Amino acid sequence: MVKTYEGGVPLAEVVRSDFVEGLHRGSVVVLDAAGATVAGAGDVDSPIFPRSSNKPMQAVGMLRAGLPLTDPADVALVSASHAGEEFHLARVAGLLRAAGIDESALHCPPDLPVGEAARDAVLRAGGGPTRLQMNCSGKHTGMLLTCLAAGWPLDGYWRPEHPLQQRLRAAIEEFTGEEAEAVGVDGCGAPVLAVSLTGLARAYLRLVSAERGTVERTVADAMRAYPELVGGTQADDTRLMRGVPGTLAKVGAEGVIAAAVPGVGAVALKIDDGAARARMPVLVAALRRLGVDAPVLTEYAEVPLLGGGLPVGAVRAVW
């Protein structure tokens, strides 16, 4: 019987004109550098779908299976949920072209860029959804390249029983220290595996604590060296990695984010209603419990609310 996520507790409040008009509930766990739990709230031991926060471990699985990438920027891209900016699309297209793979081989659905500026530019130019613009096209390109290198069929590479997905599952289970409780279909069509927030934080801590030269350290270093490729010019995880040197961070859909700072600790959280606006204030509160601080955290500590076009309140952590 699959264990069920029980839901969280109030983590953030929505304050408008000095009146609390709502709450965002969720769960959060904080680990120290040794992996011990030093703080937490809500249900941090039951499985959730980390969504795209699983991507660094999936990238480890691809490299272990033979993904032939030597440029760290490309490794960052296959770990990404990119904003669909021109530099993202050009690099994904270049990887496909070099491998002789047509964009139609990508199983991720056609989409507009998730980045607001990039999406607006496409629409102004009269463009529409494409598979290349879908935010997971870098990951799917990495999956196709891995299959080519390993001699596995490209057809059905997204199915859970495919050898590729079995390798990626093994990597996620190894780094989280847990068996996946459930397998779902992610928004991009690839499998998503359910693990706990504690397991997710543990995985990120292992990635940043790994020895140089290991595959897992290669992924962590690539993402931290090229954070704009992981998210985008204005993406939350990109700005966090830029603003707190050494930090590895990756957002996931439905209000998930995980982050780790080498020698300090790791955090993983989920906002139950999936609201992205509550994610960063709670993450800031969690990182500060580890003694981490930086100007970018002050910027993210509260998300402004507008009234009549002017700031009248904020979303802020209460945990």
Side-chain angles (χ1 to χ4, degrees):
M1 183 175 179
V2 176
K3 190 177 181 182
T4 303
Y5 176 62
E6 297 178 357
V9 299
L11 295 180
E13 62 182 7
V14 183
V15 182
R16 182 179 296 274
S17 304
D18 298 321
F19 178 81
V20 178
E21 66 171 343
L23 295 168
H24 291 290
R25 301 174 187 274
S27 300
V28 56
V29 66
V30 183
L31 307 183
D32 65 16
T37 300
V38 295
D43 184 1
V44 300
D45 295 319
S46 297
I48 57 118
F49 282 139
R51 306 296 294 274
S52 287
S53 293
N54 274 344
K55 283 179 177 174
M57 291 84 79
Q58 290 174 312
V60 169
M62 289 185 231
L63 289 171
R64 285 179 172 177
L67 176 61
L69 296 181
T70 57
D71 188 337
D74 292 332
V75 175
L77 190 63
V78 303
S79 312
S81 299
H82 65 70
E85 296 172 82
E86 282 298 325
F87 60 92
H88 296 125
L89 305 186
R91 186 168 286 272
V92 176
L95 288 173
L96 290 170
R97 185 168 54 251
I101 301 174
D102 187 79
E103 180 182 337
S104 62
L106 296 170
H107 183 63
C108 54
D111 203 356
L112 290 168
V114 296
E116 184 177 350
R119 182 175 61 251
D120 289 347
V122 170
L123 294 174
R124 281 196 305 270
T130 67
R131 296 184 189 277
L132 200 67
Q133 292 170 162
M134 201 273 167
N135 71 93
C136 297
S137 65
K139 179 182 78 172
H140 279 257
T141 296
M143 290 178 176
L144 287 168
L145 296 181
T146 303
C147 289
L148 280 179
W152 295 328
L154 302 189
D155 184 47
Y157 73 87
W158 60 89
R159 296 193 176 98
E161 65 272 14
H162 192 283
L164 169 71
Q165 298 302 335
Q166 291 296 306
R167 294 293 188 93
L168 305 194
R169 176 172 183 156
I172 290 171
E173 292 182 334
E174 175 188 342
F175 282 88
T176 60
E178 300 176 358
E179 289 188 11
E181 287 278 355
V183 181
V185 180
D186 212 336
C188 66
V192 59
L193 306 182
V195 294
S196 72
L197 287 169
T198 299
L200 184 62
R202 185 186 302 123
Y204 275 64
L205 191 60
R206 290 188 61 180
L207 289 168
V208 300
S209 303
E211 294 291 330
R212 289 188 182 276
T214 60
V215 172
E216 52 268 35
R217 182 62 180 271
T218 295
V219 171
D221 287 350
M223 293 175 67
R224 291 180 291 185
Y226 295 94
E228 282 80 11
L229 287 171
V230 174
T233 307
Q234 297 300 319
D236 291 341
D237 42 15
T238 295
R239 294 190 62 224
L240 183 63
M241 287 190 280
R242 278 285 181 227
V244 186
T247 298
L248 175 69
K250 184 71 190 70
V251 300
E254 295 300 325
V256 176
I257 190 168
V261 184
V264 177
V267 175
L269 66 90
K270 174 177 173 60
I271 304 301
D272 288 351
D273 62 10
R277 67 179 184 176
R279 184 167 54 194
M280 293 304 289
V282 176
L283 180 67
V284 169
L287 288 173
R288 284 177 170 169
R289 287 175 182 248
L290 290 170
V292 178
D293 209 354
V296 70
L297 297 189
T298 301
E299 294 176 33
Y300 273 121
E302 295 189 352
V303 175
L305 294 179
L306 302 182
L310 299 174
V312 295
V315 179
R316 62 195 183 197
V318 294
W319 173 77

